[in-house]
Amino acid sequence: MNIAAETHGFLSPTGVEIAFLLVGLLTLGAAVITVTTRQLVHAALWLVVALGGLAVEYLLLTAEFIAWVQVLIYVGSVVVLLLFGLMLTRAPIGRSPDADSGNRPVALAVALVAASALVWVVVDAFRTTVIDLDGAAQGSTRLSGSILFRHWVLPFEALSVLLLAALVGAIALSRRNAAADARATDREENR
């Protein structure tokens, strides 16, 4: 066996690590555009790119089941729910002055502190961990299902209730606006 292959280190990245880094940069860029754009529909579409990039990252980590769950639940359901919410509430399609609260410096400071804390925790926790891509798959359906339904049932169900509440709220807002528009139209016709 080649000595260079045996002494794999930080300065000799493999193709998978390079792909992981490139997809990560693309995902980060899409996430930044998602939160900085002033057009709500564009933000939703860039969110699709960011969540799709996360699914590719899961594939590169040999967690195929989690990647498909990411695509089906987040890219498929959450983004469609968000777009339906935008359509049902008659949100503006173009630039929206209401989308900017004027707190960008504070939001940027909070985001930088949160990102640096997250990077610190992840680097500290996985400093010496090496993923063996040639070994058994760590993201298998059996292992992922066991962990999900043994340790993460409550957050999983809380997320489903949150999504249901968002859908019901969007429908309630759209019906209230439709009723108000109908009353306004009736008043104008009666004059």
Side-chain angles (χ1 to χ4, degrees):
M1 182 178 265
N2 189 349
I3 292 177
E6 291 177 9
T7 60
H8 172 70
F10 181 72
L11 297 178
S12 60
T14 64
V16 173
E17 291 170 342
I18 293 171
F20 189 87
L21 180 66
L22 292 176
V23 172
L25 290 174
L26 174 73
T27 304
L28 178 65
V32 168
I33 293 172
T34 298
V35 297
T36 57
T37 186
R38 292 181 185 212
Q39 297 184 1
L40 295 176
V41 175
H42 289 180
L45 295 176
W46 279 108
L47 182 62
V48 170
V49 175
L51 294 174
L54 285 176
V56 172
E57 297 285 38
Y58 288 132
L59 282 175
L60 291 172
L61 291 172
T62 68
E64 293 87 5
F65 176 70
I66 301 297
W68 283 114
V69 167
Q70 174 78 17
V71 169
L72 292 174
I73 292 178
Y74 289 105
V75 175
S77 302
V78 172
V79 173
V80 168
L81 180 67
L82 178 65
L83 289 173
F84 274 136
L86 289 174
M87 289 187 303
L88 289 173
T89 58
R90 296 187 189 99
I93 299 297
R95 291 188 176 270
S96 174
D98 297 335
D100 189 8
S101 67
N103 293 328
R104 286 183 184 256
V106 175
L108 180 62
V110 169
L112 289 175
V113 168
S116 60
L118 181 63
V119 167
W120 177 272
V121 167
V122 169
V123 167
D124 188 47
F126 299 104
R127 184 179 315 254
T128 59
T129 303
V130 176
I131 297 174
D132 182 20
L133 297 177
D134 295 328
Q138 295 295 315
S140 67
T141 308
R142 174 175 282 174
L143 179 64
S144 300
S146 173
I147 292 171
L148 177 68
F149 292 115
R150 193 171 288 153
H151 303 290
W152 296 99
V153 170
L154 188 60
F156 188 75
E157 289 302 320
L159 178 65
S160 66
V161 170
L162 178 68
L163 292 175
L164 179 64
L167 179 62
V168 170
I171 291 171
L173 285 173
S174 69
R175 289 183 183 239
R176 184 173 51 177
N177 289 343
D181 290 344
R183 284 194 302 268
T185 305
D186 288 343
R187 276 188 243 137
E188 289 177 12
E189 289 175 359
N190 291 335
R191 287 184 188 182

